[in-house]
């Protein structure tokens, strides 16, 4: 058993607040990097037209942040840290030459990462996020299909709002501007859901159904934002 000289009891009410106060000044560890803090998750952003200069600057600033962690008696979990190089899809970089390191340990470069529930890829194509949303919506549409002849339309509409619209609308102001071809899978699923609510045949036209139930199509509520 070891004696603790700092910290708060795990599961305490004051723990999260004290932690936020404790790390709140991490944004002052670097005058160049831009940081976004959310609970115990920290995201670092840096932009530069020159890749070599970008890497050099980032490694230098990470060394400064390492000192901040050491002074504040916090550890930097390199195994849970990765980075994305955002660039045009036409540009190609040798990943072997991109080394982002901290204390001699290199971070893993990934093509896609989850940020506040949105999957962001290196080319900002939103393909990964749309695919993830389609998978979740598809499962929930299956639930609605099973309840089609059991529940009234009012209940089906409530389930649509909580099981389908929730995913279609979440941060759609960002990824919803993708081309209609990329959004096709979500459009098909939304139309299928409206047919289930209306209890119509599989190929019924949906325009009148959207108007009947005062529902917005995916590209409509995206344009409203």
């Amino acid at each position: 058993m070891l004696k603790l000289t700092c910290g708060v009891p795990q599961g305490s009410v004051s723990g999260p607040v004290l932690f936020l106060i404790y790390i709140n000044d991490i944004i002052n560890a670097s005058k160049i990097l831009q940081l976004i803090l959310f609970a115990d998750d920290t995201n670092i952003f840096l932009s530069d037209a020159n890749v070599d200069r970008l890497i050099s600057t980032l490694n230098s600033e990470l060394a400064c942040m390492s000192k901040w962690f050491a002074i504040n008696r916090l550890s930097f979990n390199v195994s849970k840290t990765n980075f994305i190089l955002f660039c045009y899809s036409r540009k190609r970089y040798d990943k072997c030459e991109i080394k982002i390191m901290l204390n001699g340990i290199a971070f893993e470069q990934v093509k896609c990462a989850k940020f506040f529930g949105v999957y962001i890829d290196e080319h900002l194509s939103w393909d990964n996020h749309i695919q993830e949303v389609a998978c979740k919506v598809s499962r929930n549409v299956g639930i609605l299909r099973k309840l089609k002849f059991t529940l009234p339309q009012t209940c089906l509409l409530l389930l649509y709002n909580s099981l389908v619209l929730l995913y279609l609308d979440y941060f759609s102001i960002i990824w919803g501007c993708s081309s209609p071809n990329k959004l096709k899978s979500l459009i098909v699923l939304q139309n299928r859901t409206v047919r289930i609510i209306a209890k119509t045949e599989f190929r019924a036209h949906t325009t009148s159904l959207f108007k009947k139930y005062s529902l917005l199509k995916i590209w409509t509520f995206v344009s409203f934002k």
Side-chain angles (χ1 to χ4, degrees):
M1 182 178 294
L2 298 176
K3 182 180 180 180
L4 296 177
T5 58
C6 61
V8 293
Q10 185 176 3
S12 64
V13 177
S14 59
V17 177
L18 291 174
F19 175 78
L20 292 176
I21 295 174
Y22 191 67
I23 68 167
N24 194 44
D25 66 334
I26 190 176
I27 59 175
N28 299 322
S30 172
K31 296 181 180 180
I32 299 177
L33 302 178
Q34 296 181 353
L35 283 77
I36 295 180
L37 308 180
F38 181 77
D40 61 344
D41 187 27
T42 302
N43 295 272
I44 300 173
F45 296 88
L46 180 65
S47 61
D48 200 307
N50 185 284
V51 177
D52 295 329
R53 186 170 58 236
L54 174 71
I55 297 172
S56 177
T57 304
L58 182 55
N59 283 325
S60 176
E61 293 301 310
L62 285 176
C64 296
M65 295 198 66
S66 178
K67 294 179 181 179
W68 183 93
F69 274 87
I71 294 173
N72 289 274
R73 299 182 181 182
L74 293 173
S75 59
F76 201 109
N77 196 332
V78 179
S79 63
K80 292 185 178 180
T81 305
N82 50 51
F83 73 94
I84 297 180
L85 177 63
F86 295 102
C87 60
Y88 292 110
S89 58
R90 294 181 180 179
K91 288 189 176 182
R92 295 291 184 268
Y93 298 101
D94 187 357
K95 291 186 177 182
C96 297
E97 297 181 356
I98 302 176
K99 297 292 184 181
I100 306 299
M101 308 183 70
L102 181 67
N103 298 330
I105 304 176
F107 294 132
E108 178 188 4
Q109 182 177 1
V110 296
K111 294 182 178 181
C112 180
K114 191 176 182 180
F115 183 66
F116 291 121
V118 179
Y119 290 86
I120 305 177
D121 61 270
E122 59 185 351
H123 303 311
L124 298 180
S125 65
W126 309 113
D127 292 340
N128 297 85
H129 183 75
I130 293 173
Q131 183 179 1
E132 184 68 20
V133 172
C135 290
K136 293 180 179 179
V137 172
S138 180
R139 288 194 296 266
N140 293 337
V141 169
I143 295 175
L144 289 174
R145 186 185 297 110
K146 292 180 180 179
L147 299 173
K148 177 179 178 180
F149 299 105
T150 305
L151 299 177
Q153 291 178 338
T154 53
C155 292
L156 292 175
L157 282 169
L158 289 175
L159 289 175
Y160 165 79
N161 290 329
S162 59
L163 298 179
V164 177
L165 184 61
L166 173 69
Y167 295 107
L168 296 179
D169 190 41
Y170 184 71
F171 270 97
S172 59
I173 190 174
I174 298 176
W175 57 266
C177 297
S178 302
S179 64
N181 187 46
K182 290 185 178 182
L183 296 175
K184 185 177 180 180
S185 59
L186 299 181
I187 295 172
V188 171
L189 287 170
Q190 189 184 29
N191 291 339
R192 188 178 303 168
T193 308
V194 173
R195 293 189 186 101
I196 292 174
I197 295 173
K199 301 181 181 182
T200 60
E201 59 180 11
F202 182 73
R203 295 185 178 181
H205 292 288
T206 58
T207 302
S208 59
L209 299 178
F210 275 97
K211 292 181 179 179
K212 178 180 179 180
Y213 299 110
S214 300
L215 300 176
L216 296 178
K217 295 186 178 182
I218 184 170
W219 58 73
T220 306
F221 59 71
V222 168
S223 61
F224 280 169
K225 294 182 179 182

